[in-house]
Amino acid sequence: MNGQQQHRRVPNIRNSSLWMNREEVDPMGTRFKIDDTDFLDEIPERNTCPNCHKSRRYYCYTCYVPLDVIKERLPRVKLPVKVDIIKHIQEVDGKSTCPHAAIISPEDCRIHTFPDIPHWDYQKTVLLFPGPNAQTLRQLLDNHYNHINDNRTSISSIGEIPFDTVVFIDSTWRQTKQVLNDSRVRPLLANGTVVLSDHESLFWRHQRNTPRTYLSTIEAMYYFFVDLHLIVDEHCGRVGPDGRPHYDYRYDNLLFFFKHTYNKLRQKYNI
């Protein structure tokens, strides 16, 4: 690496989570309970995707399937609602984290390359996006359960989730505008979108002029389901001795490939 290349690379590293969390010995290990990823380092070379036959390392980021050499050793995560990820066609395949979701939750997660957009029941679908009429996930669920209580609905309705699909957009902010302007997406904006409470990102790619709460797609998906789990359990009265709902780490393996990449980059840059 020449001096000019080194000069360009260091500032980006120092603006990333890799540098911000350099004092922590193992950020992924202390914050989450994710299966061991070390066996991925034992894969000596790239292999062939069973579908498109292109050379890949661990999974195919165009077919969204794991390679045969690792597929039996991967964790699987079951989700309480379906996930549709709308990926902009100009988003770089190999750099996106959205394939992680399709590999780890293949039964519940679908990825669509814009302008391919599925048909939704708009009354049962929510879009995760900070739109003008956005509400937090807690506000959405609190309003739903308060409505149930006010109408004296059967207690069996408590704990039901008022949507069956959540939509994520995987693109840059500029590309997102094109997706949101699509006539098939606009009804989700009109219904009011959902935003997450603040969570700190560990994403290694520095996003210029964005706060550290700006999450990668797989992080946003992870925190969505953790927050959903805690809020629903709270309304159902499923709480621990401290009176608070308990999270059992059931969604942490969504970050399986994220953990592996994060730790490899820390090693690479000796952080």
Side-chain angles (χ1 to χ4, degrees):
M1 180 187 302
N2 61 40
Q4 186 177 6
Q5 289 173 321
Q6 178 70 22
H7 178 73
R8 286 199 302 264
R9 176 171 289 181
V10 169
N12 285 334
I13 294 174
R14 293 189 176 183
N15 286 324
S16 74
S17 67
L18 293 173
W19 183 264
M20 298 296 182
N21 297 297
R22 64 189 180 280
E23 301 299 329
E24 290 188 53
V25 175
D26 182 14
M28 295 300 299
T30 56
R31 302 183 190 197
F32 312 101
K33 288 191 177 180
I34 302 170
D35 285 6
D36 188 357
T37 66
D38 286 350
F39 73 89
L40 296 177
D41 294 327
E42 300 170 4
I43 309 301
E45 57 189 13
R46 296 169 70 88
N47 289 273
T48 302
C49 171
N51 291 354
C52 68
H53 308 295
K54 293 181 180 178
S55 175
R56 300 291 188 243
R57 185 68 172 177
Y58 305 119
Y59 58 84
C60 183
Y61 45 75
T62 51
C63 300
Y64 309 123
V65 296
L67 298 192
D68 291 341
V69 70
I70 67 167
K71 69 178 183 179
E72 299 301 327
R73 303 183 67 178
L74 292 178
R76 291 288 185 268
V77 174
K78 178 64 179 173
L79 302 175
V81 299
K82 300 301 182 183
V83 170
D84 280 326
I85 299 176
I86 308 302
K87 177 182 172 295
H88 196 277
I89 194 170
Q90 293 179 344
E91 183 70 5
V92 180
D93 289 335
K95 294 184 178 181
S96 172
T97 63
C98 75
H100 301 181
I103 302 299
I104 299 298
S105 294
E107 296 179 356
D108 299 314
C109 180
R110 300 179 301 174
I111 299 175
H112 311 269
T113 301
F114 183 80
D116 173 28
I117 291 179
H119 295 287
W120 295 304
D121 178 349
Y122 293 113
Q123 300 306 312
K124 286 288 188 177
T125 304
V126 295
L127 169 65
L128 189 76
F129 184 78
N133 300 318
Q135 57 183 329
T136 65
L137 184 58
R138 173 168 289 281
Q139 288 173 326
L140 173 66
L141 293 171
D142 283 353
N143 290 337
H144 171 70
Y145 293 127
N146 288 338
H147 177 75
I148 288 176
N149 290 331
D150 291 344
N151 288 276
R152 298 182 180 180
T153 306
S154 168
I155 192 67
S156 63
S157 296
I158 299 296
E160 291 183 358
I161 300 172
F163 51 87
D164 58 24
T165 304
V166 56
V167 179
F168 297 82
I169 298 176
D170 185 70
S171 68
T172 64
W173 279 107
R174 181 176 298 179
Q175 295 163 354
T176 296
K177 292 180 180 179
Q178 184 179 1
V179 176
L180 295 176
N181 284 330
D182 189 279
S183 61
R184 296 163 294 179
V185 177
R186 283 200 298 268
L188 295 178
L189 283 175
N191 288 346
T193 59
V194 175
V195 293
L196 295 173
S197 55
D198 286 345
H199 297 283
E200 180 184 305
S201 175
L202 290 176
F203 196 34
W204 46 87
R205 289 171 61 194
H206 171 57
Q207 303 291 320
R208 184 175 298 176
N209 299 323
T210 58
R212 295 188 67 195
T213 53
Y214 185 81
L215 305 172
S216 65
T217 300
I218 194 63
E219 288 178 296
M221 184 172 164
Y222 166 76
Y223 283 116
F224 178 90
F225 284 108
V226 172
D227 289 353
L228 177 66
H229 175 88
L230 292 172
I231 297 168
V232 170
D233 272 14
E234 179 182 319
H235 278 280
C236 292
R238 294 192 289 263
V239 296
D242 59 357
R244 302 173 62 182
H246 171 69
Y247 173 60
D248 58 8
Y249 307 102
R250 67 180 64 185
Y251 302 120
D252 282 30
N253 274 326
L254 287 172
L255 299 174
F256 180 80
F257 287 111
F258 187 96
K259 169 188 173 180
H260 180 258
T261 303
Y262 185 87
N263 288 338
K264 292 295 287 184
L265 288 173
R266 278 174 64 98
Q267 293 175 11
K268 177 179 179 179
Y269 295 115
N270 193 28
I271 297 176

